[in-house]
Amino acid sequence: MTLHLDDLRVRRLGECRYDSPFSETLSTKQTSPHYVAEGDRVLLEDTVSMLADHGLPLGRIPSFEAAGPRRKIYFDPSQVTAGIVTCGGLCPGLNNVIRGLVQEIYVHYQVKQVLGFRNGLQGLTAAHRDDTIELTPDRVRDIHNAGGTILGSSRGGQDADEMVDTLVSRGIDIMFVIGGDGGMRAATFLSEAIRARGLDIAVIGVPKTIDNDLPFTDQSFGFQSAFARATDFISAVAVEAAAGLNGVGIVKLMGRHSGFIASYAALAANAADIVLIPEIPFALGGPDGLLAHVEQHVRTKGHVVIVLAEGAGQELLEEHGLPQQNGRGTDASGNLKLGDIGGLLQASITAHLTAVGLSPTMRYIDPSYAVRSIAANAYDSVYCLRLAHAAVHAAMAGRTEAAVARWRRRFVHVPLSLMTSRRNQVDPDGDLWMSVLETTCQPAVFGPARDRGMVRIGFC
Ligand SMILES: Nc1ncnc2c1ncn2[C@@H]1O[C@H](COP(=O)(O)OP(=O)(O)OP(=O)(O)O)[C@@H](O)[C@H]1O
Ligand SMILES: O=P(O)(O)OC[C@H]1O[C@](O)(CO)[C@@H](O)[C@@H]1O
Ligand SMILES: [Mg+2]
């Protein structure tokens, strides 16, 4: 999909007529490599060839609006009530974002009130709309030290009109939705329902996903904390596998459709022989299949370590008479329920190695919830805080139907519709996956590699 400048423009509620509390500070600032002034834009693409391909004058090159404080704002802060909701699965840093939003909007903009809606978008339904938490700087002072979200979260669909009724009845002017693809989709529907009623309510998304599968964001917050934690489990399984007779260590990590956690954690631990991700199908049997490769590792090295993303190899389950995607079921939000690829791998590898006289010592860890429930690390804490600042500035300046994101290391405004227009996935042709191949020395494909014109790499 080719994006044009107009696709990247963010909707504004109207003219900014109020002085921003930051106007004095901003008047002292010069545009610099570290400070993009209000009118400047951040390029969508960052290679010379991609820019040249557009064949457009500079002013028409696709670009995002830079985030940050404006000299003039749309809302009169003394009249503003803001709402915050966290949706979907947990992710390190949710509390940091809540804290950052509350402190920024209270301390600098001095708004009237901030309400936290509980248990995800369920909190915006008629039955739960009055059960909010009053969020004050005192209330959020220490919350960033803990994982999870003080607001609670949930999956499951809600009616957009009912949610708008809630915003109206609670007097919300600005709604911050912290969520993943589902949360961003829900925020989009909410914005559309607000627009259809001609209401003056800003909706700003803060993209959250442990899987790092949202587009137009360099890396989602909490991702670095999560893969760092996942690294510990890979190191643990590697120690176990190395000490066991014909040791096989498998760590299954989250990643429904995207193998980012598996790839980054494997690179960080630098102990994996094989990384399996949803983006790259693999065959179990045959001379080039996974099982042959595992056997070769066990024969030559004595053990093997596999990092597995939960969404990998789903197509294999049916072939083996196992229910694919748990009978193709979906969860309350419509997300595919995955089949147990970890179970299939354990069983197949055990059967294969036993058959060739290498009866394995199997060590299998699924640390999924232990990974995503932790508090944000120092890097993500900074990232969350700065995202929250950007979200508050965007909302106070009347931006709406937009998410804040870091793109090419700058904070930008991204139209909400774009956040759900595609899924961020590991590119099999890209440099990240190449690094995984270089580090593990696994073949580019487990299966009939030559048929696909692909190159075997060998063993490290
Ligand atoms: N198409 C949709 N229309 C309306 N609401 C939706 C839609 N998709 C998701 N939602 C709502 O958004 C919320 C969060 O969605 P979901 O459970 O998929 O988590 P998420 O935000 O994608 O986070 P995660 O990264 O954990 O998947 C849910 O309450 C869900 O009902
Ligand atoms: O068990 P839950 O809470 O539905 O979450 C599991 C899913 O959430 C995700 O982390 C996305 O947030 C997926 O990787 C995972 O499959
Ligand atoms: Mg999701």
Side-chain angles (χ1 to χ4, degrees):
M1 175 172 77
T2 306
L3 288 170
H4 305 284
L5 182 57
D6 291 338
D7 301 321
L8 307 180
R9 292 198 195 279
V10 161
R11 188 167 167 244
R12 301 177 185 200
L13 285 171
E15 192 194 338
C16 290
R17 292 185 291 115
Y18 295 94
D19 281 332
S20 159
F22 289 92
S23 59
E24 212 176 299
T25 315
L26 290 174
S27 66
T28 65
K29 282 168 82 85
Q30 307 269 322
T31 302
S32 83
H34 306 287
Y35 173 62
V36 175
E38 204 170 312
D40 209 346
R41 297 186 64 92
V42 174
L43 293 176
L44 171 68
E45 287 138 348
D46 68 353
T47 68
V48 172
S49 62
M50 284 193 282
L51 292 184
D53 279 353
H54 287 290
L56 289 170
L58 265 182
R60 295 297 307 163
I61 297 268
S63 58
F64 292 111
E65 182 174 59
R70 267 58 190 166
R71 292 181 198 205
K72 292 277 185 188
I73 54 177
Y74 177 74
F75 287 104
D76 171 1
S78 66
Q79 303 301 312
V80 164
T81 296
I84 305 179
V85 68
T86 49
C87 357
L90 295 183
C91 176
L94 286 166
N95 282 330
N96 303 62
V97 174
I98 296 169
R99 180 177 183 268
L101 292 172
V102 173
Q103 290 196 323
E104 185 73 5
I105 207 162
Y106 255 111
V107 174
H108 291 291
Y109 288 99
Q110 301 188 353
V111 299
K112 203 167 65 178
Q113 195 179 35
V114 184
L115 299 177
F117 290 90
R118 296 161 65 101
N119 302 320
L121 294 172
Q122 190 191 88
L124 278 97
T125 57
H128 300 280
R129 65 172 59 127
D130 294 321
D131 181 23
T132 47
I133 303 177
E134 172 112 26
L135 295 171
T136 61
D138 268 350
R139 174 69 185 83
V140 301
R141 196 168 313 283
D142 299 318
I143 64 173
H144 59 301
N145 296 319
T149 157
I150 58 156
L151 298 179
S153 192
S154 66
R155 299 194 188 274
Q158 287 76 31
D159 180 69
D161 274 314
E162 189 178 339
M163 293 196 286
V164 178
D165 289 342
T166 295
L167 300 187
V168 172
S169 83
R170 300 304 312 268
I172 301 292
D173 305 287
I174 293 172
M175 188 65 211
F176 296 106
V177 179
I178 310 170
D181 56 333
M184 293 301 107
R185 211 162 281 129
T188 309
F189 293 135
L190 184 66
S191 311
E192 285 166 357
I194 288 170
R195 186 157 25 113
R197 290 204 211 170
L199 295 168
D200 205 23
I201 301 174
V203 177
I204 295 293
V206 183
K208 166 241 50 159
T209 148
I210 197 74
D211 293 347
N212 196 41
D213 59 356
L214 282 167
F216 306 110
T217 178
D218 291 339
Q219 259 178 7
S220 44
F221 74 78
F223 174 71
Q224 199 187 86
S225 307
F227 84 71
R229 177 79 175 119
T231 304
D232 297 339
F233 294 96
I234 299 173
S235 303
V237 108
V239 169
E240 286 283 341
L245 187 62
N246 304 323
V248 178
I250 304 179
V251 181
K252 187 176 95 168
L253 297 170
M254 282 192 174
R256 215 191 286 267
H257 303 286
S258 303
F260 287 104
I261 298 186
S263 299
Y264 272 90
L267 289 177
N270 210 339
D273 302 298
I274 295 169
V275 180
L276 301 170
I277 60 173
E279 293 86 338
I280 305 192
F282 61 93
L284 280 176
D288 288 318
L290 178 74
L291 297 176
H293 202 74
V294 165
E295 178 189 331
Q296 205 174 340
H297 267 292
V298 173
R299 283 195 191 284
T300 53
K301 202 169 116 181
H303 67 278
V304 63
V305 175
I306 301 173
V307 175
L308 172 67
E310 62 180 335
Q314 291 294 304
E315 62 287 345
L316 295 175
L317 292 160
E318 228 158 15
E319 281 172 31
H320 287 78
L322 293 165
Q324 191 190 17
Q325 290 146 355
N326 281 354
R328 298 183 194 282
T330 52
D331 70 11
S333 293
N335 300 305
L336 272 183
K337 282 190 182 172
L338 299 174
D340 181 15
I341 186 66
L344 175 65
L345 276 200
Q346 285 183 80
S348 312
I349 291 173
T350 301
H352 178 85
L353 291 181
T354 305
V356 297
L358 296 168
S359 185
T361 304
M362 180 65 69
R363 298 288 185 248
Y364 179 85
I365 308 183
D366 179 349
S368 302
Y369 296 117
V371 166
R372 77 174 190 186
S373 57
I374 61 169
N377 67 12
Y379 175 90
D380 275 325
S381 297
V382 174
Y383 185 13
C384 291
L385 190 64
R386 297 190 68 198
L387 262 183
H389 291 172
V392 169
H393 296 318
M396 291 304 297
R399 300 318 192 257
T400 189
E401 302 183 28
V404 286
R406 199 175 55 181
W407 184 245
R408 314 225 181 273
R409 302 198 65 77
R410 294 189 185 273
F411 290 90
V412 297
H413 300 160
V414 181
L416 267 181
S417 54
L418 281 189
M419 294 306 300
T420 53
S421 61
R422 60 176 80 156
R423 178 174 282 134
N424 192 29
Q425 288 193 297
V426 176
D427 179 358
D429 298 314
D431 59 343
L432 171 63
W433 187 245
M434 193 62 211
S435 291
V436 173
L437 297 181
E438 287 174 73
T439 306
T440 58
C441 299
Q442 73 189 67
V445 167
F446 290 106
R450 259 169 253 108
D451 293 356
R452 299 190 215 173
M454 292 176 130
V455 184
R456 272 193 80 109
I457 291 202
F459 289 91
C460 284

